[in-house]
Amino acid sequence: MRILENISMKDYSNMRVGGIAKELIFIEDKNELLEVFNTRNRIFVIGNGTNTLISDSYLDISFVTLKDMKDILIEKVENGTYFVRAYAGVDFFDFIDFMRDEDLSGIENMSGIPGSFGGITNMNAGAYGTEIFDVVEEVEVFEPGVGIRVLSKDELGSKYRSTLIKENKWLVVSTLIKLKKGFDKEASEDKLNQRKNKHPLHLPNLGSTFKNPTGTFAAQLISDCGLKEYRVGDAQISPIHPNFVTNLGNATFNDILQLIEDVKKVVLEKTNIQLETEIIILK
């Protein structure tokens, strides 16, 4: 493992917000996890920092990342089904490239989702009608106090943007998914282009900030409430996609928190719908 002490977490946040942390530990072998969790008190596991808003004050936290665990393996092929294992540190863009190179299909609709495979599995990320748990076979998780376990899809309680992994604060080590032959290049490129055109990828952001309430879309509610381009300091509701909060340059943790709370309040007052955050807020 590699350990960086007194490290600025701003550099590890897609929002470019974050204070000085006690340490950042890079796991290089899954068996190192037991030692880390047995010798630290306050631990937070971070992937690519694409859905975590990190406080910009001092963080007496041992951050743990599996970014160095990037293997992708075809474990077996049965009756035309390819069982592929992706370790937690695999960047999802790289996984889509792997699918293209190996001519494998199943989750092309998710092309362009930012983040690591561990984070995407943890929250059951998805897009355009496809979720990662549509293809999950099993997940290798690390449970503090227990160790590494392999759990089947049915044991992981997946639902919209959540799993038992997330709820129980387990750590994804690797994910085994099922794919078929026949990469849909057209679908993948279409979703990538839609993301480029409809999402403010040119600015620091954390992706979708709020969960979509049943029967409607958070972005539509925010827009209907006249909150497009609403701003607190350098934190702004994107005019391109109102469910994205962007950092215009020097947004602080408190700027972003205040903006989120303001949006929740206005939407509740005008629509009687309580928005829930999809991002993780770490204080």
Side-chain angles (χ1 to χ4, degrees):
M1 72 180 78
R2 294 187 294 125
I3 302 175
L4 302 178
E5 297 180 345
N6 296 316
I7 183 76
S8 171
M9 294 308 295
K10 181 178 182 179
D11 298 331
Y12 296 90
S13 163
N14 207 52
M15 186 58 106
R16 297 296 179 262
V17 174
I20 301 298
K22 176 181 177 181
E23 60 182 350
L24 175 61
I25 303 168
F26 292 81
I27 299 295
E28 296 168 322
D29 183 304
K30 63 186 180 183
N31 295 311
E32 296 169 346
L33 288 167
L34 193 59
E35 176 190 342
V36 170
F37 276 78
N38 282 344
T39 55
R40 271 79 176 175
N41 293 320
R42 192 179 179 199
I43 295 173
F44 184 85
V45 178
I46 189 167
N48 284 5
T50 51
N51 75 324
T52 304
L53 176 61
I54 304 172
S55 171
D56 47 22
S57 60
Y58 176 73
L59 300 150
D60 188 20
I61 297 173
S62 296
F63 283 85
V64 173
T65 179
L66 276 67
K67 285 170 68 74
D68 288 350
M69 296 179 63
K70 298 181 178 181
D71 289 341
I72 305 173
L73 310 167
I74 298 176
E75 290 202 345
K76 61 181 178 179
V77 183
E78 290 182 352
N79 301 318
T81 298
Y82 287 70
F83 292 83
V84 181
R85 185 172 300 279
Y87 278 81
V90 173
D91 186 275
F92 199 69
F93 282 91
D94 293 338
F95 190 81
I96 295 295
D97 287 343
F98 170 85
M99 287 175 56
R100 181 184 296 107
D101 294 343
E102 298 292 333
D103 190 31
L104 296 174
S105 178
I107 50 175
E108 291 91 336
N109 281 351
M110 293 175 61
S111 296
I113 289 181
S116 63
F117 218 99
I120 281 168
T121 301
N122 174 72
M123 68 175 293
N124 188 23
Y128 299 106
T130 299
E131 296 177 333
I132 194 63
F133 265 78
D134 293 342
V135 296
V136 166
E137 176 75 3
E138 66 182 33
V139 181
E140 189 179 19
V141 302
F142 174 80
E143 182 178 351
V146 175
I148 293 174
R149 296 196 290 157
V150 176
L151 300 175
S152 70
K153 174 180 179 176
D154 291 341
E155 295 176 287
L156 293 167
S158 62
K159 53 188 176 182
Y160 176 67
R161 300 300 175 265
S162 188
T163 63
L164 289 177
I165 304 169
K166 182 178 180 180
E167 292 174 6
N168 291 322
K169 294 182 170 49
W170 298 335
L171 175 59
V172 174
V173 175
S174 70
T175 307
L176 186 69
I177 67 172
K178 301 182 294 184
L179 300 172
K180 298 284 189 179
K181 273 290 184 184
F183 182 77
D184 192 335
K185 182 179 178 182
E186 184 177 341
S188 179
E189 290 183 351
D190 174 64
K191 302 308 180 292
L192 281 168
N193 288 332
Q194 287 197 50
R195 284 187 172 275
K196 289 176 183 177
N197 294 330
K198 297 180 180 180
H199 296 171
L201 304 183
H202 61 295
L203 290 171
N205 68 83
L206 294 176
S208 295
T209 304
F210 301 99
K211 296 178 182 179
N212 287 325
T214 303
T216 188
F217 296 96
Q220 189 63 55
L221 292 170
I222 294 166
S223 180
D224 289 347
C225 290
L227 292 168
K228 266 190 177 182
E229 298 186 70
Y230 178 70
R231 183 171 171 174
V232 176
D234 263 5
Q236 183 185 50
I237 294 292
S238 171
I240 299 172
H241 193 307
N243 199 14
F244 278 59
V245 177
T246 58
N247 181 351
L248 299 179
N250 295 299
T252 67
F253 179 73
N254 286 334
D255 289 341
I256 299 164
L257 276 189
Q258 187 62 58
L259 184 146
I260 288 171
E261 290 307 311
D262 290 350
V263 169
K264 284 182 176 180
K265 181 180 178 182
V266 172
V267 170
L268 181 60
E269 288 174 349
K270 292 191 174 185
T271 70
N272 203 35
I273 294 174
Q274 179 68 65
L275 289 178
E276 296 180 35
T277 51
E278 185 170 309
I279 63 171
I280 298 166
I281 298 173
L282 182 63
K283 300 180 181 181

Short mmCIF file of all heavy atoms in Angstrom, two decimals, residues 161-212:
data_model
loop_
_atom_site.label_atom_id
_atom_site.label_comp_id
_atom_site.label_asym_id
_atom_site.label_seq_id
_atom_site.Cartn_x
_atom_site.Cartn_y
_atom_site.Cartn_z
N ARG A 161 -30.55 3.54 -7.17
CA ARG A 161 -29.38 4.26 -6.66
C ARG A 161 -28.96 3.85 -5.24
O ARG A 161 -28.43 4.65 -4.48
CB ARG A 161 -29.63 5.78 -6.71
CG ARG A 161 -29.89 6.29 -8.12
CD ARG A 161 -28.74 6.03 -9.06
NE ARG A 161 -29.07 6.44 -10.42
CZ ARG A 161 -29.56 5.62 -11.37
NH1 ARG A 161 -29.73 4.33 -11.10
NH2 ARG A 161 -29.83 6.07 -12.58
N SER A 162 -29.19 2.60 -4.93
CA SER A 162 -28.75 2.11 -3.63
C SER A 162 -28.62 0.59 -3.64
O SER A 162 -29.19 -0.09 -4.49
CB SER A 162 -29.72 2.54 -2.53
OG SER A 162 -29.20 2.22 -1.25
N THR A 163 -27.85 0.09 -2.68
CA THR A 163 -27.67 -1.35 -2.47
C THR A 163 -27.40 -1.57 -0.99
O THR A 163 -27.16 -0.62 -0.24
CB THR A 163 -26.45 -1.88 -3.25
OG1 THR A 163 -25.27 -1.24 -2.74
CG2 THR A 163 -26.57 -1.63 -4.76
N LEU A 164 -27.42 -2.82 -0.57
CA LEU A 164 -27.02 -3.12 0.81
C LEU A 164 -25.55 -2.80 1.03
O LEU A 164 -25.12 -2.55 2.17
CB LEU A 164 -27.29 -4.59 1.13
CG LEU A 164 -28.77 -4.99 1.27
CD1 LEU A 164 -28.90 -6.48 1.52
CD2 LEU A 164 -29.44 -4.20 2.41
N ILE A 165 -24.78 -2.81 -0.03
CA ILE A 165 -23.36 -2.44 0.07
C ILE A 165 -23.25 -1.00 0.58
O ILE A 165 -22.51 -0.69 1.51
CB ILE A 165 -22.66 -2.56 -1.30
CG1 ILE A 165 -22.81 -3.95 -1.87
CG2 ILE A 165 -21.19 -2.19 -1.18
CD1 ILE A 165 -22.39 -4.07 -3.33
N LYS A 166 -24.03 -0.12 -0.05
CA LYS A 166 -24.02 1.28 0.34
C LYS A 166 -24.61 1.48 1.73
O LYS A 166 -24.03 2.20 2.55
CB LYS A 166 -24.82 2.09 -0.69
CG LYS A 166 -24.86 3.58 -0.44
CD LYS A 166 -25.63 4.30 -1.53
CE LYS A 166 -25.69 5.80 -1.30
NZ LYS A 166 -26.45 6.48 -2.39
N GLU A 167 -25.73 0.83 2.00
CA GLU A 167 -26.41 1.01 3.28
C GLU A 167 -25.59 0.49 4.46
O GLU A 167 -25.61 1.06 5.54
CB GLU A 167 -27.77 0.31 3.23
CG GLU A 167 -28.76 0.97 2.27
CD GLU A 167 -30.05 0.19 2.14
OE1 GLU A 167 -30.25 -0.81 2.86
OE2 GLU A 167 -30.88 0.58 1.27
N ASN A 168 -24.84 -0.61 4.23
CA ASN A 168 -24.06 -1.21 5.31
C ASN A 168 -22.61 -0.72 5.36
O ASN A 168 -21.83 -1.16 6.19
CB ASN A 168 -24.06 -2.73 5.18
CG ASN A 168 -25.42 -3.33 5.45
OD1 ASN A 168 -26.13 -2.88 6.34
ND2 ASN A 168 -25.80 -4.34 4.69
N LYS A 169 -22.28 0.20 4.41
CA LYS A 169 -20.92 0.75 4.35
C LYS A 169 -19.86 -0.33 4.14
O LYS A 169 -18.77 -0.29 4.72
CB LYS A 169 -20.62 1.60 5.59
CG LYS A 169 -21.48 2.84 5.68
CD LYS A 169 -21.13 3.68 6.90
CE LYS A 169 -21.80 5.05 6.87
NZ LYS A 169 -23.22 5.04 6.59
N TRP A 170 -20.21 -1.32 3.30
CA TRP A 170 -19.22 -2.29 2.87
C TRP A 170 -18.38 -1.67 1.77
O TRP A 170 -18.72 -0.63 1.22
CB TRP A 170 -19.90 -3.56 2.36
CG TRP A 170 -20.73 -4.28 3.39
CD1 TRP A 170 -20.59 -4.23 4.74
CD2 TRP A 170 -21.84 -5.15 3.13
NE1 TRP A 170 -21.55 -5.01 5.35
CE2 TRP A 170 -22.32 -5.60 4.39
CE3 TRP A 170 -22.46 -5.61 1.98
CZ2 TRP A 170 -23.40 -6.46 4.51
CZ3 TRP A 170 -23.53 -6.48 2.09
CH2 TRP A 170 -24.00 -6.91 3.34
N LEU A 171 -17.29 -2.32 1.44
CA LEU A 171 -16.38 -1.84 0.41
C LEU A 171 -16.37 -2.82 -0.76
O LEU A 171 -16.13 -4.02 -0.58
CB LEU A 171 -14.97 -1.70 1.01
CG LEU A 171 -13.83 -1.32 0.09
CD1 LEU A 171 -14.10 0.01 -0.58
CD2 LEU A 171 -12.53 -1.26 0.86
N VAL A 172 -16.65 -2.32 -1.94
CA VAL A 172 -16.59 -3.16 -3.14
C VAL A 172 -15.13 -3.42 -3.50
O VAL A 172 -14.34 -2.48 -3.65
CB VAL A 172 -17.30 -2.48 -4.34
CG1 VAL A 172 -17.09 -3.30 -5.61
CG2 VAL A 172 -18.78 -2.31 -4.05
N VAL A 173 -14.77 -4.68 -3.61
CA VAL A 173 -13.43 -5.08 -4.04
C VAL A 173 -13.42 -5.37 -5.54
O VAL A 173 -12.57 -4.89 -6.28
CB VAL A 173 -12.93 -6.31 -3.26
CG1 VAL A 173 -11.58 -6.78 -3.78
CG2 VAL A 173 -12.86 -6.00 -1.76
N SER A 174 -14.41 -6.16 -5.99
CA SER A 174 -14.53 -6.45 -7.41
C SER A 174 -15.98 -6.83 -7.71
O SER A 174 -16.73 -7.21 -6.82
CB SER A 174 -13.59 -7.58 -7.84
OG SER A 174 -14.01 -8.83 -7.31
N THR A 175 -16.34 -6.71 -8.98
CA THR A 175 -17.70 -7.03 -9.42
C THR A 175 -17.63 -7.97 -10.60
O THR A 175 -16.87 -7.74 -11.56
CB THR A 175 -18.43 -5.74 -9.86
OG1 THR A 175 -18.37 -4.77 -8.82
CG2 THR A 175 -19.89 -6.03 -10.20
N LEU A 176 -18.40 -9.04 -10.54
CA LEU A 176 -18.50 -9.99 -11.65
C LEU A 176 -19.81 -9.72 -12.38
O LEU A 176 -20.88 -9.76 -11.78
CB LEU A 176 -18.47 -11.43 -11.15
CG LEU A 176 -18.42 -12.51 -12.23
CD1 LEU A 176 -17.07 -12.49 -12.97
CD2 LEU A 176 -18.67 -13.90 -11.62
N ILE A 177 -19.70 -9.41 -13.69
CA ILE A 177 -20.90 -9.12 -14.47
C ILE A 177 -21.02 -10.05 -15.66
O ILE A 177 -20.04 -10.69 -16.08
CB ILE A 177 -20.94 -7.65 -14.93
CG1 ILE A 177 -19.83 -7.36 -15.94
CG2 ILE A 177 -20.84 -6.71 -13.75
CD1 ILE A 177 -19.94 -5.99 -16.57
N LYS A 178 -22.22 -10.13 -16.22
CA LYS A 178 -22.51 -11.01 -17.35
C LYS A 178 -22.74 -10.17 -18.61
O LYS A 178 -23.60 -9.27 -18.60
CB LYS A 178 -23.75 -11.85 -17.07
CG LYS A 178 -23.64 -12.73 -15.84
CD LYS A 178 -24.88 -13.58 -15.63
CE LYS A 178 -26.09 -12.73 -15.30
NZ LYS A 178 -27.29 -13.55 -15.01
N LEU A 179 -22.01 -10.46 -19.66
CA LEU A 179 -22.16 -9.75 -20.92
C LEU A 179 -22.29 -10.74 -22.07
O LEU A 179 -21.94 -11.91 -21.95
CB LEU A 179 -20.94 -8.84 -21.16
CG LEU A 179 -20.66 -7.76 -20.10
CD1 LEU A 179 -19.32 -7.08 -20.38
CD2 LEU A 179 -21.79 -6.74 -20.06
N LYS A 180 -22.80 -10.23 -23.19
CA LYS A 180 -22.93 -11.02 -24.41
C LYS A 180 -22.05 -10.43 -25.50
O LYS A 180 -21.56 -9.32 -25.39
CB LYS A 180 -24.39 -11.02 -24.88
CG LYS A 180 -25.38 -11.64 -23.91
CD LYS A 180 -25.29 -13.14 -23.93
CE LYS A 180 -26.43 -13.75 -23.10
NZ LYS A 180 -26.39 -15.23 -23.11
N LYS A 181 -21.87 -11.17 -26.57
CA LYS A 181 -21.13 -10.66 -27.72
C LYS A 181 -21.96 -9.62 -28.47
O LYS A 181 -23.19 -9.66 -28.45
CB LYS A 181 -20.77 -11.80 -28.67
CG LYS A 181 -19.47 -12.51 -28.35
CD LYS A 181 -18.27 -11.61 -28.61
CE LYS A 181 -16.95 -12.34 -28.38
NZ LYS A 181 -15.78 -11.45 -28.55
N GLY A 182 -21.27 -8.68 -29.13
CA GLY A 182 -21.97 -7.74 -30.00
C GLY A 182 -22.05 -6.34 -29.46
O GLY A 182 -23.13 -5.81 -29.22
N PHE A 183 -20.91 -5.68 -29.27
CA PHE A 183 -20.89 -4.31 -28.75
C PHE A 183 -21.69 -3.38 -29.65
O PHE A 183 -21.50 -3.36 -30.87
CB PHE A 183 -19.45 -3.82 -28.64
CG PHE A 183 -19.32 -2.44 -28.06
CD1 PHE A 183 -19.45 -2.22 -26.70
CD2 PHE A 183 -19.06 -1.34 -28.88
CE1 PHE A 183 -19.32 -0.95 -26.15
CE2 PHE A 183 -18.92 -0.06 -28.35
CZ PHE A 183 -19.06 0.12 -26.98
N ASP A 184 -22.60 -2.63 -29.05
CA ASP A 184 -23.44 -1.69 -29.80
C ASP A 184 -22.74 -0.33 -29.83
O ASP A 184 -22.97 0.53 -28.99
CB ASP A 184 -24.81 -1.58 -29.13
CG ASP A 184 -25.83 -0.85 -30.00
OD1 ASP A 184 -25.39 -0.05 -30.85
OD2 ASP A 184 -27.04 -1.06 -29.81
N LYS A 185 -21.90 -0.15 -30.83
CA LYS A 185 -21.11 1.07 -30.95
C LYS A 185 -22.00 2.30 -31.11
O LYS A 185 -21.74 3.35 -30.52
CB LYS A 185 -20.16 0.96 -32.14
CG LYS A 185 -19.26 2.17 -32.33
CD LYS A 185 -18.33 1.98 -33.52
CE LYS A 185 -17.46 3.20 -33.74
NZ LYS A 185 -16.59 3.03 -34.94
N GLU A 186 -23.06 2.15 -31.88
CA GLU A 186 -23.95 3.29 -32.12
C GLU A 186 -24.61 3.76 -30.84
O GLU A 186 -24.66 4.97 -30.56
CB GLU A 186 -25.03 2.90 -33.15
CG GLU A 186 -25.95 4.04 -33.53
CD GLU A 186 -26.96 3.65 -34.60
OE1 GLU A 186 -26.74 2.64 -35.28
OE2 GLU A 186 -27.97 4.37 -34.73
N ALA A 187 -25.10 2.82 -30.03
CA ALA A 187 -25.74 3.18 -28.76
C ALA A 187 -24.75 3.83 -27.81
O ALA A 187 -25.05 4.82 -27.14
CB ALA A 187 -26.36 1.94 -28.11
N SER A 188 -23.54 3.27 -27.75
CA SER A 188 -22.52 3.81 -26.85
C SER A 188 -22.14 5.24 -27.24
O SER A 188 -22.09 6.13 -26.39
CB SER A 188 -21.28 2.91 -26.88
OG SER A 188 -20.26 3.43 -26.05
N GLU A 189 -21.90 5.47 -28.51
CA GLU A 189 -21.51 6.81 -28.96
C GLU A 189 -22.65 7.80 -28.81
O GLU A 189 -22.42 8.98 -28.49
CB GLU A 189 -21.03 6.74 -30.42
CG GLU A 189 -19.70 6.00 -30.56
CD GLU A 189 -19.19 6.00 -31.98
OE1 GLU A 189 -19.95 6.40 -32.91
OE2 GLU A 189 -18.03 5.57 -32.18
N ASP A 190 -23.88 7.32 -29.00
CA ASP A 190 -25.04 8.20 -28.82
C ASP A 190 -25.13 8.68 -27.38
O ASP A 190 -25.36 9.88 -27.12
CB ASP A 190 -26.32 7.45 -29.20
CG ASP A 190 -27.57 8.27 -28.89
OD1 ASP A 190 -27.75 9.34 -29.50
OD2 ASP A 190 -28.37 7.83 -28.03
N LYS A 191 -24.93 7.78 -26.42
CA LYS A 191 -25.02 8.17 -25.01
C LYS A 191 -23.86 9.07 -24.62
O LYS A 191 -24.04 10.03 -23.84
CB LYS A 191 -25.05 6.92 -24.11
CG LYS A 191 -26.20 5.97 -24.41
CD LYS A 191 -27.54 6.67 -24.41
CE LYS A 191 -28.70 5.75 -24.70
NZ LYS A 191 -28.71 5.23 -26.09
N LEU A 192 -22.68 8.81 -25.16
CA LEU A 192 -21.54 9.69 -24.90
C LEU A 192 -21.81 11.09 -25.43
O LEU A 192 -21.55 12.09 -24.74
CB LEU A 192 -20.28 9.12 -25.56
CG LEU A 192 -19.58 7.98 -24.83
CD1 LEU A 192 -18.54 7.35 -25.74
CD2 LEU A 192 -18.91 8.48 -23.55
N ASN A 193 -22.36 11.17 -26.63
CA ASN A 193 -22.66 12.48 -27.23
C ASN A 193 -23.75 13.22 -26.47
O ASN A 193 -23.69 14.44 -26.30
CB ASN A 193 -23.07 12.31 -28.70
CG ASN A 193 -21.89 11.94 -29.58
OD1 ASN A 193 -20.75 12.29 -29.28
ND2 ASN A 193 -22.15 11.23 -30.67
N GLN A 194 -24.77 12.46 -26.00
CA GLN A 194 -25.82 13.10 -25.22
C GLN A 194 -25.27 13.69 -23.94
O GLN A 194 -25.66 14.79 -23.52
CB GLN A 194 -26.93 12.08 -24.90
CG GLN A 194 -27.79 11.71 -26.10
CD GLN A 194 -29.10 11.06 -25.69
OE1 GLN A 194 -29.81 11.57 -24.84
NE2 GLN A 194 -29.40 9.93 -26.29
N ARG A 195 -24.34 12.97 -23.30
CA ARG A 195 -23.74 13.47 -22.07
C ARG A 195 -22.93 14.74 -22.35
O ARG A 195 -22.98 15.71 -21.59
CB ARG A 195 -22.83 12.41 -21.44
CG ARG A 195 -23.62 11.33 -20.74
CD ARG A 195 -22.73 10.37 -19.96
NE ARG A 195 -23.57 9.49 -19.18
CZ ARG A 195 -24.04 9.78 -17.98
NH1 ARG A 195 -23.74 10.93 -17.41
NH2 ARG A 195 -24.79 8.93 -17.33
N LYS A 196 -22.19 14.74 -23.45
CA LYS A 196 -21.38 15.91 -23.79
C LYS A 196 -22.27 17.13 -24.06
O LYS A 196 -21.93 18.25 -23.71
CB LYS A 196 -20.52 15.60 -25.02
CG LYS A 196 -19.38 14.63 -24.74
CD LYS A 196 -18.62 14.30 -26.01
CE LYS A 196 -17.54 13.27 -25.74
NZ LYS A 196 -16.84 12.89 -27.00
N ASN A 197 -23.41 16.89 -24.71
CA ASN A 197 -24.28 17.99 -25.10
C ASN A 197 -25.23 18.44 -24.00
O ASN A 197 -25.62 19.62 -23.95
CB ASN A 197 -25.11 17.59 -26.33
CG ASN A 197 -24.25 17.38 -27.56
OD1 ASN A 197 -23.21 18.01 -27.71
ND2 ASN A 197 -24.67 16.49 -28.45
N LYS A 198 -25.61 17.52 -23.10
CA LYS A 198 -26.63 17.83 -22.11
C LYS A 198 -26.11 17.98 -20.69
O LYS A 198 -26.86 18.36 -19.78
CB LYS A 198 -27.71 16.73 -22.12
CG LYS A 198 -28.47 16.64 -23.44
CD LYS A 198 -29.51 15.53 -23.39
CE LYS A 198 -30.29 15.43 -24.71
NZ LYS A 198 -31.30 14.35 -24.66
N HIS A 199 -24.83 17.67 -20.47
CA HIS A 199 -24.26 17.77 -19.14
C HIS A 199 -23.10 18.77 -19.13
O HIS A 199 -22.35 18.84 -20.11
CB HIS A 199 -23.74 16.40 -18.66
CG HIS A 199 -24.83 15.39 -18.49
ND1 HIS A 199 -24.55 14.06 -18.26
CD2 HIS A 199 -26.17 15.48 -18.53
CE1 HIS A 199 -25.69 13.39 -18.15
NE2 HIS A 199 -26.68 14.23 -18.32
N PRO A 200 -22.93 19.51 -18.06
CA PRO A 200 -21.87 20.54 -18.00
C PRO A 200 -20.51 19.94 -17.66
O PRO A 200 -19.92 20.24 -16.60
CB PRO A 200 -22.38 21.46 -16.89
CG PRO A 200 -23.12 20.54 -15.97
CD PRO A 200 -23.78 19.52 -16.86
N LEU A 201 -20.01 19.11 -18.54
CA LEU A 201 -18.77 18.38 -18.25
C LEU A 201 -17.54 19.28 -18.29
O LEU A 201 -16.46 18.85 -17.88
CB LEU A 201 -18.61 17.23 -19.25
CG LEU A 201 -19.79 16.23 -19.30
CD1 LEU A 201 -19.48 15.10 -20.28
CD2 LEU A 201 -20.10 15.66 -17.92
N HIS A 202 -17.69 20.51 -18.76
CA HIS A 202 -16.56 21.44 -18.84
C HIS A 202 -16.27 22.10 -17.49
O HIS A 202 -15.26 22.80 -17.37
CB HIS A 202 -16.84 22.52 -19.89
CG HIS A 202 -18.04 23.37 -19.59
ND1 HIS A 202 -19.32 22.86 -19.57
CD2 HIS A 202 -18.14 24.70 -19.29
CE1 HIS A 202 -20.16 23.84 -19.27
NE2 HIS A 202 -19.47 24.95 -19.10
N LEU A 203 -17.14 21.87 -16.51
CA LEU A 203 -16.95 22.47 -15.19
C LEU A 203 -16.92 21.38 -14.11
O LEU A 203 -17.55 20.33 -14.26
CB LEU A 203 -18.10 23.43 -14.87
CG LEU A 203 -18.16 24.73 -15.67
CD1 LEU A 203 -19.47 25.46 -15.39
CD2 LEU A 203 -16.97 25.63 -15.33
N PRO A 204 -16.20 21.62 -13.01
CA PRO A 204 -16.22 20.66 -11.90
C PRO A 204 -17.65 20.44 -11.41
O PRO A 204 -18.41 21.40 -11.24
CB PRO A 204 -15.37 21.34 -10.82
CG PRO A 204 -14.47 22.25 -11.57
CD PRO A 204 -15.29 22.75 -12.73
N ASN A 205 -18.03 19.17 -11.20
CA ASN A 205 -19.38 18.83 -10.76
C ASN A 205 -19.36 17.46 -10.12
O ASN A 205 -18.35 16.76 -10.17
CB ASN A 205 -20.36 18.87 -11.95
CG ASN A 205 -20.08 17.77 -12.95
OD1 ASN A 205 -20.51 16.63 -12.77
ND2 ASN A 205 -19.32 18.08 -14.01
N LEU A 206 -20.49 17.07 -9.54
CA LEU A 206 -20.61 15.75 -8.92
C LEU A 206 -21.71 14.92 -9.57
O LEU A 206 -22.29 14.03 -8.95
CB LEU A 206 -20.87 15.89 -7.42
CG LEU A 206 -19.72 16.49 -6.61
CD1 LEU A 206 -20.12 16.68 -5.16
CD2 LEU A 206 -18.46 15.63 -6.71
N GLY A 207 -22.00 15.21 -10.83
CA GLY A 207 -23.06 14.47 -11.51
C GLY A 207 -24.43 14.88 -10.99
O GLY A 207 -24.62 15.99 -10.49
N SER A 208 -25.37 13.98 -11.08
CA SER A 208 -26.73 14.27 -10.60
C SER A 208 -26.71 14.49 -9.10
O SER A 208 -26.29 13.63 -8.34
CB SER A 208 -27.67 13.12 -10.95
OG SER A 208 -27.81 13.00 -12.35
N THR A 209 -27.19 15.66 -8.69
CA THR A 209 -27.14 16.02 -7.27
C THR A 209 -28.29 15.42 -6.48
O THR A 209 -28.14 15.00 -5.34
CB THR A 209 -27.17 17.56 -7.12
OG1 THR A 209 -26.08 18.12 -7.87
CG2 THR A 209 -27.04 17.97 -5.67
N PHE A 210 -29.48 15.37 -7.12
CA PHE A 210 -30.69 14.88 -6.44
C PHE A 210 -31.22 13.62 -7.12
O PHE A 210 -31.12 13.47 -8.34
CB PHE A 210 -31.78 15.95 -6.46
CG PHE A 210 -31.39 17.24 -5.80
CD1 PHE A 210 -30.96 18.33 -6.55
CD2 PHE A 210 -31.42 17.37 -4.42
CE1 PHE A 210 -30.59 19.53 -5.95
CE2 PHE A 210 -31.05 18.57 -3.81
CZ PHE A 210 -30.63 19.64 -4.57
N LYS A 211 -31.80 12.75 -6.31
CA LYS A 211 -32.49 11.57 -6.85
C LYS A 211 -33.76 12.02 -7.57
O LYS A 211 -34.37 13.03 -7.20
CB LYS A 211 -32.87 10.61 -5.73
CG LYS A 211 -31.68 10.01 -4.98
CD LYS A 211 -32.17 9.11 -3.86
CE LYS A 211 -31.00 8.53 -3.08
NZ LYS A 211 -31.47 7.66 -1.96
N ASN A 212 -34.15 11.28 -8.58
CA ASN A 212 -35.41 11.57 -9.27
C ASN A 212 -36.58 11.05 -8.42
O ASN A 212 -36.65 9.85 -8.15
CB ASN A 212 -35.45 10.91 -10.64
CG ASN A 212 -34.56 11.61 -11.64
OD1 ASN A 212 -34.40 12.82 -11.62
ND2 ASN A 212 -33.95 10.83 -12.53
#
